[in-house]
Amino acid sequence: MDNNVKRNLSDETAAKLGYQPFKSALIPDSVVERTTHKVSISTGNDKVSSSVEQVIKATVKDGMTISFHHHFREGDFVFNLVMQIIIDLGIKDLTLAPSSLTNVMNDMVVKAIKAGVVTNITSSGMRGSLGDAVSHGALAKPVIFRSHGNRARAIEQGAIKIDVAFLGVPNADRLGNANGMDGKAVFGSLGYALMDAQYADKVVLLTDNIVPYPNTPASIKQTQVDYVVQVDKVGDPEKIGSGATRFTKDPKELKIAATVNQVITHSPYFKDGFSFQTGSGGAALAVTRYLRESMKQNDIRASFALGGITKPMIDLLEEGLVAKIMDVQDFDKGAAASMHNSKNQQEIDASWYADPYNKGAMVDQLDVVILSALEIDTKFNVNVMTGSDGVIRGAIGGHQDAATAKLTIISAPLVRGRIATVVPDVTTIVTPGESIDVLVTEVGIAINPKRQDLLTALKQVPGLPIFTIEELQQRASKIVGQPKPIEYTDRTVALIEYRDGTLIDTIKQVKD
Amino acid sequence: MDNNVKRNLSDETAAKLGYQPFKSALIPDSVVERTTHKVSISTGNDKVSSSVEQVIKATVKDGMTISFHHHFREGDFVFNLVMQIIIDLGIKDLTLAPSSLTNVMNDMVVKAIKAGVVTNITSSGMRGSLGDAVSHGALAKPVIFRSHGNRARAIEQGAIKIDVAFLGVPNADRLGNANGMDGKAVFGSLGYALMDAQYADKVVLLTDNIVPYPNTPASIKQTQVDYVVQVDKVGDPEKIGSGATRFTKDPKELKIAATVNQVITHSPYFKDGFSFQTGSGGAALAVTRYLRESMKQNDIRASFALGGITKPMIDLLEEGLVAKIMDVQDFDKGAAASMHNSKNQQEIDASWYADPYNKGAMVDQLDVVILSALEIDTKFNVNVMTGSDGVIRGAIGGHQDAATAKLTIISAPLVRGRIATVVPDVTTIVTPGESIDVLVTEVGIAINPKRQDLLTALKQVPGLPIFTIEELQQRASKIVGQPKPIEYTDRTVALIEYRDGTLIDTIKQVKD
């Protein structure tokens, strides 16, 4: 079968799993039923343990699905601690269902795969040694990649049934009331982990900071928690922040950011009460800074900013340029710390953020989003998952989810070193071209032909170079030449779900 | 069958409904499964309506279960508005499942019963014309009375399956993000209504105050709401506060309050970090005031105060005498308004408050609670549901739930007018005697014989008159004489569930 982005999905595994092919970014109205979960009745007085091993022995059995969150990012100590004990205990055939896998977890997952401890993975993404191992066929069964919103959907619909969730927190009381805002290893919003806390049959908190009962505000509640395990350290505060928090000085990034701002401010969406999501990284922070100036100049205020939150966005909130911050995760300490101070910075769970199968997600209300791309093709399809060598080294994150915005801008350089970003066909389709409105590169922009309205509006902008996407692709091709085609085996190593659970692409094992 | 409080339950209806007899206040550990609910997928852009009638037509069908909350108490405009339209539309055979029924709703429910619109009711309680009608057999099927915690349990386990919840709120945005803290008709915590918002298949908000999107803090979330209906007024702010907010001057009440305080402060639970629930009404407020003085004198601070919250409890929070307020409902404006100001005043839902079928409820952590009684008998069983004439005129509220505290004090006058409070056998058992530790009256106290430890401790208190409960009962009897036995028919008009869903008593139709 071919799906609507022309990917051949005649894959045995996909067929066996009963996948429907991706059809459209539009989610039709219908009625769905939420899944159930088990509750082990307790008065809550015996939850505290100092032995991770004992709690694992009491909860994890062969064949189960276990989960983790990635809010600690590269500062995470919890994942490796728990997985090492599980490996040592010789538990087998687990499905790993974290909200995502960060680099600090890579080697441990590879080890668990080799030991037969982990035989299934669903994640937002993977990189490094793990992406490499999976791309070369380390797992017998394909990994399932899901966006943050789709993971929420899958949990709420029962497609991901978490038996035991191991959730690291910077504070908890003896019954499990916890938040991400107090303690040493603070990360702010618990957005992704709130799904696990709500739907897992067993919830194990790990913390280095047991505080007096009752702990408030309680993002995770005592009614959701089975065990509270005291450990030495849940994370390294220095490594929790994700990369750049400073304004970029790279002229190419600055050029792109300024152009993104031009596109936004000359679009019909730039008006009082508009909403936006920018994301992290130097270029995104630069966009936020340009946007701030434009909002001030034009006396325009945003109704909300969404997504991974950074300090510069908190500054906009405090300046009154943004009325509300809807916060599913925080990318730096400044954003994490500020959630205490303002009722206008609202912690939201991944379902509220982006599950398409509910009564309205935040992304459905989004006007403008700026997203990245490893590759974008002449159909505007975007790849954020595999390198040009076909190896897995990325994550869907909220890409598919936020691309439902009214104005979805891909911000990317034309080429990266000797590798084209704008290509005839992306290696892996993560987000369908129908969701993408504008590509912004350092040489100019391309507008999706289905958005003639935007083309008309942006043509008026003096000095804004507008190309067709084919022109940009050819320009990239001229710079870097024609790459050698990737050689794959027939074996599928990963399935890419669209946010509604349909199959949008598969990743094959690379030959080497 | 007889249950463990010796009530004969050989009732056909109870048997048909598959009830287990009440056994014990102890909830054994076990594993239960939470129920599912339906979600109608939507982007959320078409939720706003100005026609209650249209929304009712779109959602309510014959035979369904509909629900309301009672946070507006006697100031509620929503219930009568919705029910009148339902009656006018001729919808039949509904089950009414509100968190409770206040007096302002009585006549409308009687009307709906007479019209065949409402044929089943489950509630925390009922009074006035409605209690009278039900006690005289107005409904063919017995009403099921459930405590606030048991209602949460029943909703979470699927025993109450709400098809449509009509929830009045003082503010909401166009997608349904709402709280109880802003607007004209504020009531504070949405605690009871949060269960309906989470588990009903359809959630209809009614508000007189549509605010810009997104509304924060969002106690009810857009992911839970199907319709937002704009109405003129949701409630009368003047009537939302429940009665006395001033310190009583009644010498009998003052005496009882002072004695309650003596019992608390001389119990082993009065130490740093203790917790308590007092409730509303003049006597409860007086207890709070005496307790405040004792805490200051003894340099003792409470870890949390629970339950229906009043301004005097907020004062304790602000003085630092109480570390946290765990807030399932607020009884006055001061308490309602302050939830904005402090992360130490935590809104909790009815499940967290008191569902015994979860991973630890607040009531399970409670040290001291002061509760009221219409009657208490020589087995310490308490009736808060029927008058001495057998007519329904009360509510379980959180009585059974909070009585699980380590020290449960019943505060009640020995007699009320010509009616004894302390009796040989209560008319209706709501809370089993095994949960009750001390009875405090204006003449002295009685201690449950199973609490010899308390007897030993309280004997040391100079000037504290301690009686057996039989002595107090005889004393009451001497004052008011022997009442005529109530005459009942064989027909059951109501079932009293214990908080775990077992049957603790039934109420028969009164003869007149």
Side-chain angles (χ1 to χ4, degrees), chain A residues 78 84 86-87 155 172 216 229 283 297 302 341 349 362 364-365 381 385 393 400 407 414 437 445 459 462 481:
Chain A
V78 168
Q84 185 60 59
I86 288 178
I87 293 171
I155 291 172
T216 64
V229 190
Q297 274 166 30
N341 307 330
D349 64 31
M362 286 309 304
D364 298 323
Q365 300 301 319
N381 296 317
M385 184 53 74
R393 56 165 58 92
Q400 296 169 343
L407 172 59
L414 199 62
D437 300 301
I445 73 168
K459 266 186 179 163

Side-chain angles (χ1 to χ4, degrees), chain B residues 224-236:
Chain B
Q224 303 173 316
V225 176
D226 296 274
Y227 296 92
V228 178
V229 189
Q230 174 122 40
V231 297
D232 280 348
K233 272 189 176 175
V234 286
D236 178 351

Side-chain angles (χ1 to χ4, degrees), chain A residues 32-33 36 39 47 226 359, chain B residues 32-33 36 47 226 359:
Chain A
V32 294
E33 189 130 335
T36 62
V39 172
K47 293 185 183 182
D226 296 273
K359 300 176 181 179
Chain B
V32 295
E33 188 131 333
T36 61
K47 293 185 182 182
D226 296 274
K359 300 175 181 180

Side-chain angles (χ1 to χ4, degrees), chain A residues 27-45 47 174-175 177 182 198 200-203 213-218 221-226 303-304 324 326 340 343-344 346 351-352 356-362 364-365, chain B residues 27-45 47 174-175 177 182 198 200-203 213-218 221-226 303-304 324 326 340 343-344 346 351-352 356-362 364-365:
Chain A
I27 310 290
D29 287 355
S30 66
V31 177
V32 294
E33 189 130 335
R34 286 284 157 87
T35 190
T36 62
H37 65 99
K38 292 198 181 75
V39 172
S40 300
I41 296 173
S42 154
T43 55
N45 289 320
K47 293 185 183 182
R174 61 184 176 78
L175 268 86
N177 296 299
D182 298 307
Q198 195 182 338
D201 282 347
K202 293 275 184 187
V203 174
Y213 180 85
N215 185 25
T216 64
K221 294 161 184 62
Q222 64 183 66
T223 52
Q224 303 173 318
V225 176
D226 296 273
S303 57
F304 69 90
K324 305 286 166 108
M326 305 305 275
H340 259 330
K343 65 167 187 155
N344 296 322
Q346 166 90 43
S351 172
W352 188 357
Y357 277 19
N358 68 29
K359 300 176 181 179
M362 286 309 304
D364 298 323
Q365 300 301 319
Chain B
I27 310 291
D29 287 356
S30 67
V31 177
V32 295
E33 188 131 333
R34 286 283 158 88
T35 191
T36 61
H37 64 102
K38 293 198 180 77
V39 172
S40 300
I41 297 173
S42 154
T43 55
N45 288 320
K47 293 185 182 182
R174 63 184 174 79
L175 268 86
N177 296 298
D182 298 305
Q198 195 182 340
D201 283 347
K202 293 276 183 183
V203 174
Y213 181 85
N215 184 24
T216 64
K221 295 162 183 62
Q222 65 183 66
T223 52
Q224 303 173 316
V225 176
D226 296 274
S303 56
F304 69 89
K324 306 285 166 106
M326 305 304 275
H340 259 329
K343 65 166 185 154
N344 296 322
Q346 167 89 44
S351 172
W352 187 358
Y357 277 20
N358 69 29
K359 300 175 181 180
M362 287 310 304
D364 297 324
Q365 300 301 319

